[in-house]
Amino acid sequence: MIVKKNNLLINATPAKFGGAKTIVENYLENGDFSKYEKVILLAPRTIFFNNEKVHHVKRETSGLLSWTFSVLIVFLYALYYRCGSIISFNNVNCIVPFFNKITYFHTPHIFYSKSMRHRLLRFTIRYLMVREHFVFQSKYVHDEFVRVFGEKYKFSVNWCGCESPFINNISFRKENSSEKYKCIVPIVDSKSIVKNFKFVVDNIDFIDQNNIEIYSLSEGGERSDKIHYIGRKSKVELMSLYCEMDFMLMPSLFETVGLPIFEFAGTGKPVLVLDKPYISGIDNTIGLPDNIFPFCEDEFYDSIINLTQEYEWHKILPLSSDHRMLKPDWSAMNNFI
């Protein structure tokens, strides 16, 4: 069976929710598929897009099955659909030669996690994917990848862009209002060490004393007497929630991008971000708007006090749809054949 270079297979089987799902949907809406005769998407049924050229084959994987599917099984789908080009959104790609391939890397846990799955991913990248083409969302993630795996690969750094709530739906806090500030913490897993929700729990009494209510996207966790655990939200629900909140607090220790930071920043309302290398890397890639405020842990109290006392100063106008932060760059994906 002859495969064709201008038949494209997109492998996104683990992208069930969250940032991974958002990025795949963004690519399907904004990528350039004009050079392809046929485009096959392998992805969960939860993926939504409006592109008649893309044929959606509903497939879903998780855990070690995602590795097996991406590295080996996808080869059979490529043969069946006669696809000579493969895009993988699963951090690794088909190890069978002769295909034109590019891999979107978006999971920083691979750099340091001791889990069997992440060890397997490291092994695959280090020994089975030499000279393959990887795409990163920021210069920092690229640099970390090179630190861990070396320079024997092809690289592209393309900012993924993001959505933001429709400007007309955004509600703004009234100046000099005595109501409590509503703060969203966009962390779904309150137990994750990397997501660092413990930082919020440890400081919740101080936060509460400063007239602030915390809303978490986790299903539950500690200090529920002062933290509203509202659970995971759909994209539409999340955008609506952003419109109602007064500011965002992001305590993560490591993110590939941290899409909620930039989605919320599009409202013009303030975002407090724990200052870690990933946020500096994004600043160096596209620049941060003036309503994103990185802070060090020992400056947190001052940051909260300054925000509540000078809230209007921390705001900017909502970002327009053509702002560099909201616009995606899919040039590496568009031009890899």
Side-chain angles (χ1 to χ4, degrees):
M1 183 179 291
I2 300 174
V3 296
K4 293 184 177 181
K5 189 176 180 180
N6 58 350
N7 285 350
L8 174 65
L9 183 71
I10 303 171
N11 178 20
T13 54
K16 297 181 282 295
F17 45 72
K21 176 177 180 287
T22 298
I23 288 169
V24 172
E25 291 174 341
N26 185 315
Y27 172 62
L28 294 171
E29 293 293 336
N30 297 291
D32 179 10
F33 302 102
S34 59
K35 65 186 71 175
Y36 299 110
E37 289 185 13
K38 178 166 61 176
V39 180
I40 305 296
L41 170 69
L42 307 178
R45 63 182 66 251
T46 53
I47 293 285
F48 294 101
F49 61 95
N50 182 24
N51 189 325
E52 294 182 356
K53 192 165 189 176
V54 178
H55 175 59
H56 187 183
V57 179
K58 298 176 179 62
R59 297 291 183 272
E60 182 176 314
T61 62
S62 60
L64 287 175
L65 178 57
S66 293
W67 176 86
T68 306
F69 190 94
S70 299
V71 171
L72 297 171
I73 299 175
V74 74
F75 163 69
L76 301 177
Y77 282 88
L79 287 182
Y80 179 80
Y81 289 106
R82 301 179 65 192
C83 294
S85 298
I86 303 175
I87 291 177
S88 175
F89 281 90
N90 301 355
N91 300 296
V92 292
N93 211 327
C94 179
I95 60 173
V96 178
F98 312 122
F99 291 96
N100 194 42
K101 295 172 283 185
I102 192 167
T103 305
Y104 200 80
F105 187 92
H106 59 86
T107 304
H109 299 337
I110 292 172
F111 295 144
Y112 54 82
S113 171
K114 296 181 181 179
S115 74
M116 177 61 70
R117 181 167 68 94
H118 289 128
R119 286 173 188 246
L120 192 56
L121 289 168
R122 283 198 295 273
F123 176 88
T124 303
I125 293 169
R126 181 171 285 121
Y127 298 109
L128 304 179
M129 294 186 67
V130 174
R131 292 185 292 277
E132 296 286 357
H133 191 167
F134 286 86
V135 178
F136 309 98
Q137 298 152 329
S138 77
K139 184 68 164 54
Y140 172 70
V141 178
H142 162 269
D143 292 347
E144 285 295 288
F145 186 97
V146 170
R147 180 184 63 79
V148 174
F149 297 110
E151 297 184 342
K152 49 189 181 292
Y153 308 86
K154 298 177 183 177
F155 303 117
S156 297
V157 177
N158 288 170
W159 176 244
C160 58
C162 64
E163 294 182 54
S164 187
F166 185 55
I167 290 175
N168 291 348
N169 294 337
I170 301 171
S171 60
F172 293 97
R173 182 181 180 84
K174 294 179 181 179
E175 199 166 351
N176 299 320
S177 172
S178 62
E179 293 183 359
K180 282 197 167 189
Y181 290 86
K182 293 182 178 180
C183 171
I184 179 70
V185 179
I187 291 176
V188 173
D189 183 2
S190 63
K191 297 179 181 178
S192 167
I193 295 174
V194 173
K195 296 300 183 182
N196 196 29
F197 191 74
K198 183 178 183 297
F199 177 85
V200 178
V201 173
D202 290 345
N203 290 286
I204 190 60
D205 290 324
F206 172 79
I207 293 171
D208 181 64
Q209 289 164 13
N210 279 271
N211 202 33
I212 298 169
E213 287 184 319
I214 293 290
Y215 292 80
S216 167
L217 297 180
S218 178
E219 296 292 341
E222 298 179 60
R223 296 306 303 271
S224 57
D225 57 322
K226 292 185 178 178
I227 299 175
H228 301 280
Y229 291 101
I230 58 178
R232 188 190 298 273
K233 300 296 179 185
S234 70
K235 178 59 69 175
V236 172
E237 292 170 332
L238 194 57
M239 291 296 169
S240 177
L241 187 65
Y242 289 163
C243 292
E244 300 171 6
M245 296 288 113
D246 295 312
F247 72 99
M248 174 178 284
L249 172 61
M250 176 61 96
S252 278
L253 302 177
F254 200 118
E255 296 281 347
T256 311
V257 171
L259 279 177
I261 297 170
F262 303 97
E263 292 170 344
F264 189 87
T267 67
K269 301 174 186 180
V271 183
L272 296 182
V273 183
L274 186 60
D275 194 4
K276 294 297 176 182
Y278 81 90
I279 199 70
S280 303
I282 293 171
D283 191 13
N284 292 334
T285 302
I286 59 160
L288 299 178
D290 291 338
N291 61 331
I292 294 181
F293 299 92
F295 66 90
C296 298
E297 287 194 41
D298 58 1
E299 299 171 348
F300 178 62
Y301 282 18
D302 288 341
S303 298
I304 287 291
I305 292 169
N306 289 339
L307 186 145
T308 55
Q309 291 183 350
E310 300 288 343
Y311 180 75
E312 294 299 316
W313 179 85
H314 286 73
K315 290 180 358 186
I316 62 173
L317 293 174
L319 302 181
S320 62
S321 59
D322 62 350
H323 190 278
R324 66 182 183 280
M325 190 188 75
L326 302 181
K327 291 178 67 174
D329 175 9
W330 293 109
S331 57
M333 303 294 212
N334 293 339
N335 301 318
F336 87 105
I337 70 165

